[in-house]
Amino acid sequence: MNETQDRDAVRRNGPVSRPLVNMVRRPSTVDLIAVELRNAIYSGTLRPGSSVREAEVASQLGVSRGPLRESAQRLVQEGLLVARPGAGLRVATVGADQVAELYAARLAIEGSAVRHLAGLEPEDRERRLAALRELFAPLEASLADGSDARRIGDADLDLHFGLVEATGNLRMTAMASTLIVQTRLAALSHRDGYVVRTDILDVHRTLLGQISDGDGLAAEQTLAGHFQQSVDRLLGRLEEPFSTVVGAAEGSHFAFNRLP
């Protein structure tokens, strides 16, 4: 499989939302189950801390418990599920003590991505930026409306995942995938519910402009400042004024799609 086929496989075999990638060309049953579980966690329909009922999930998917357990173990390794001896599985929570570490990991990956993109030859850089501008447009539209927290959050995370995907580095893309889902878990785990900022358009426009100008250091610094504000907001210590919108949680019961 060549590099282009690899990238196509990442997109084709991932679930509905961009950040949840699956780096296999022909997914197995175990891969497909893992995709369903990630979708449920990312969408918030499997809530942080909620139990994953093995028998019920296996029945809905039309699979045996063996591949379900194997898929679940993958998500345990990714930090999305927690295995409790004698008590089954539950969805992980991302508490206040983990937020700074999470965003530091994201900065390591996304900071490398923006430096890489800014350092490309102008023609190649603009070609990749075209894809990022397509991701910027939904963020701009969702913020113009300003009332749908989930729509804003999805567009925001799509753009950040796109920064890494645009590098063409499959290992970085896979790591970014897990970190993006953990970021959603952190937001859903917050004591105030799912809250997103509505004043983030300018920082993202600046970030793309700096990449376009070939200034990778400035782009990384912009990203670092944006992430620090995110950490401070989630920890309740952001002092400067900011605006937010609160999103309603999804229903507590999630019906999985039966696998073919």
Side-chain angles (χ1 to χ4, degrees):
M1 191 185 301
N2 60 36
E3 183 179 351
T4 300
Q5 289 172 320
D6 279 340
R7 284 198 296 268
D8 289 344
V10 167
R11 295 189 182 92
R12 182 169 53 253
N13 295 320
V16 175
S17 188
R18 289 174 54 84
L20 312 185
V21 296
N22 192 330
M23 294 177 63
V24 289
R25 188 158 190 248
R26 294 179 180 176
S28 66
T29 298
V30 171
D31 299 319
L32 293 172
I33 295 170
V35 165
E36 286 288 320
L37 290 171
R38 289 192 196 98
N39 270 340
I41 293 170
Y42 185 74
S43 69
T45 47
L46 276 180
R47 299 283 295 165
S50 65
S51 295
V52 179
R53 301 180 183 89
E54 186 178 283
E56 181 180 350
V57 173
S59 175
Q60 289 184 14
L61 291 171
V63 300
S64 64
R65 294 192 184 188
L68 174 61
R69 288 170 180 164
E70 187 175 344
S71 299
Q73 187 56 41
R74 289 188 186 180
L75 271 66
V76 170
Q77 294 171 353
E78 294 173 12
L80 304 180
L81 291 176
V82 176
R84 301 170 295 176
L89 295 164
R90 65 173 176 82
V91 180
T93 59
V94 178
D97 59 329
Q98 303 171 61
V99 168
E101 182 178 80
L102 170 59
Y103 276 89
R106 282 189 59 187
L107 181 60
I109 299 296
E110 294 181 43
S112 176
V114 299
R115 292 196 311 272
H116 172 83
L117 294 172
L120 295 172
E121 291 298 318
E123 184 176 350
D124 191 15
R125 183 167 68 238
E126 285 305 311
R127 178 177 60 83
R128 302 193 196 202
L129 273 168
L132 292 174
R133 292 186 181 110
E134 289 183 2
L135 295 172
F136 179 79
L139 178 62
E140 186 174 32
S142 64
L143 288 169
D145 173 71
S147 64
D148 190 335
R150 191 57 59 92
R151 181 183 172 201
I152 294 169
D154 286 349
D156 179 27
L157 292 177
D158 279 356
L159 178 56
H160 281 274
F161 179 74
L163 290 170
V164 183
E165 186 183 40
T167 67
N169 186 314
L170 293 176
R171 291 185 182 276
M172 285 176 57
T173 300
M175 289 186 281
S177 169
T178 298
L179 292 171
I180 290 291
V181 183
Q182 290 178 349
T183 300
R184 173 57 60 80
L185 274 176
L188 292 170
S189 300
H190 196 269
R191 64 182 182 276
D192 295 333
Y194 187 70
V195 182
V196 298
R197 288 185 65 169
T198 57
D199 54 358
I200 57 172
L201 189 64
D202 286 345
V203 69
H204 289 91
R205 183 183 286 115
T206 296
L207 179 65
L208 294 186
Q210 290 165 334
I211 295 172
S212 180
D213 292 340
D215 195 342
L217 179 59
E220 185 177 24
Q221 290 174 339
T222 295
L223 198 62
H226 177 51
F227 281 176
Q228 185 58 58
Q229 285 197 348
S230 297
V231 171
D232 288 344
R233 183 185 67 80
L234 286 168
L235 297 181
R237 63 189 190 201
L238 183 60
E239 296 181 355
E240 63 186 78
F242 60 94
S243 60
T244 61
V245 62
V246 180
E250 298 286 349
S252 59
H253 181 76
F254 181 74
F256 289 89
N257 297 316
R258 192 173 184 84
L259 299 183

